[in-house]
Amino acid sequence: MSDAEWAVVRPLLPVPGWLRGRGGQPEAYCHRAMLDAIRYLVDNGTKWRAMPADFPPWDRV
């Protein structure tokens, strides 16, 4: 995802509860990395478990 695309998408994502003072744990993975993994999966049509190791684990995405 380019920086320009991220600038458009980022405001559309919900703010995590822990950042708003509502408790909870911080996310273990960056939202941008998660979206990149989903876009990779959709673009290449691979199976979840066949995603490259560059992305977060398939069961977290």
Side-chain angles (χ1 to χ4, degrees), residues 7-55:
V8 172
V9 172
R10 179 62 186 118
L12 302 175
L13 297 175
V15 176
W18 67 273
L19 281 176
R20 289 184 279 166
R22 291 181 32 207
Q25 295 182 359
E27 286 92 5
Y29 302 101
C30 171
H31 286 170
R32 188 171 183 171
M34 300 291 254
L35 287 175
D36 283 342
I38 292 169
R39 291 179 65 182
Y40 178 86
L41 179 78
V42 170
D43 184 45
N44 294 308
T46 63
K47 303 285 183 193
W48 280 106
R49 293 179 188 226
M51 287 188 5
D54 297 344
F55 296 118

